Amino acid sequence: MNADDILKIIEVIPEYIKYIYPGYLTIYIYFFLRGKTLRDNNYIFLKSVAISYIYLSMIECISSIKLFQTINNKLLIIPYSLKLNIALISIALLFSYFAYRIAMSSRIIKIFSLLNINTTFYDNEIEALSNYNEGAWICVYLKNDTVVYEGSVGMKELEEEKRKYICLNSYYKYLLNENGKPIEPYIEDHADNPNESVMIFYDDIKIIEKRDV
């Protein structure tokens, strides 16, 4: 491959990259807002191409509208490629944010219920119990310990490739009597201190109960 061939490849790249990066940017930002790690694979690549193609089709349809043609004519000083990339990036940012807001909205679950659609956007049990990060109060029983932790769900890491854990804020730590009631005084009581937290590894959890407080 000589220098001319390399230059031709460089010239062609922008024509193809627009079919990849807008969709990838949408997926990346959506995962970022959900606090998840985006792992590159062929599935993500195909989704990126599909989303990018939809964006380009949308822009093509919108550009045929007279109002946008007028705006475009007034912006002739700006190169078409720059305008196209600005539009693609803007659409990617907006769509990823709105997709995140829809996934995190409790209203969408109610709409699904009205339509008899039994599905949610929750990825794990903790998100279902805590309604994502709305500070649900839970009680955690451990597998190999008689100690019970009770508190508000805080930070968590529940991805399969990492060691999974949850944190409880303003937590109580106590033992149970023969009737299953907390023994007072508690071992630890941090109800009045939201800065106090405890990390509990997911493998050590036996039962989780959600409490109304």
Side-chain angles (χ1 to χ4, degrees), residues 16-72:
Y16 289 98
I17 199 70
K18 67 183 180 183
Y19 289 100
I20 302 173
Y21 86 83
Y24 186 88
L25 181 61
T26 300
I27 298 171
Y28 178 86
I29 294 174
Y30 176 78
F31 272 62
F32 175 78
L33 293 174
R34 292 287 302 272
K36 302 182 184 302
T37 301
L38 177 61
R39 294 173 180 81
D40 296 328
N41 51 47
N42 291 335
Y43 177 68
I44 293 297
F45 176 78
L46 290 175
K47 288 182 70 173
S48 300
V49 172
I51 294 171
S52 299
Y53 180 80
I54 293 172
Y55 290 169
L56 288 166
S57 299
M58 288 174 52
I59 291 174
E60 185 177 347
C61 292
I62 292 173
S63 62
S64 64
I65 299 175
K66 187 173 182 179
L67 174 61
F68 288 95
Q69 289 178 343
T70 303
I71 295 174
N72 185 47

Side-chain angles (χ1 to χ4, degrees), residues 85-127:
N85 283 289
I86 291 174
L88 288 171
I89 292 173
S90 300
I91 292 173
L93 294 173
L94 289 173
F95 269 70
S96 57
Y97 177 75
F98 282 119
Y100 162 74
R101 295 300 302 175
I102 290 172
M104 300 293 284
S105 173
S106 59
R107 294 180 181 178
I108 195 67
I109 304 301
K110 295 178 181 177
I111 294 173
F112 284 163
S113 299
L114 292 174
L115 297 174
N116 292 322
I117 300 174
N118 297 317
T119 187
T120 68
F121 292 101
Y122 300 129
D123 288 335
N124 51 66
E125 306 88 347
I126 299 299
E127 285 189 349

Side-chain angles (χ1 to χ4, degrees), residues 165-182:
Y165 67 84
I166 61 173
C167 290
L168 300 182
N169 302 325
S170 303
Y171 70 96
Y172 299 114
K173 178 181 178 181
Y174 53 79
L175 298 172
L176 299 176
N177 60 24
E178 296 179 353
N179 298 321
K181 301 295 183 181

Side-chain angles (χ1 to χ4, degrees), residues 3-13:
D4 290 337
D5 292 332
I6 295 174
L7 289 174
K8 289 179 181 179
I9 292 174
I10 294 174
E11 291 175 356
V12 171
I13 286 176

Side-chain angles (χ1 to χ4, degrees), residues 140-204:
V140 178
Y141 300 84
L142 304 180
K143 292 178 181 177
N144 301 313
D145 201 331
T146 56
V147 171
V148 178
Y149 290 94
E150 187 175 333
S152 175
V153 177
M155 294 188 302
K156 58 185 181 294
E157 175 55 69
L158 297 173
E159 295 195 27
E160 294 295 333
E161 291 77 8
K162 302 178 182 179
R163 190 175 185 189
K164 299 189 289 185
Y165 67 84
I166 61 173
C167 290
L168 300 182
N169 302 325
S170 303
Y171 70 96
Y172 299 114
K173 178 181 178 181
Y174 53 79
L175 298 172
L176 299 176
N177 60 24
E178 296 179 353
N179 298 321
K181 301 295 183 181
I183 297 175
E184 296 185 358
Y186 295 160
I187 299 174
E188 293 186 40
D189 183 347
H190 302 290
D192 297 326
N193 192 346
N195 294 322
E196 291 290 337
S197 63
V198 59
M199 178 185 292
I200 304 173
F201 291 104
Y202 210 65
D203 292 339
D204 297 328

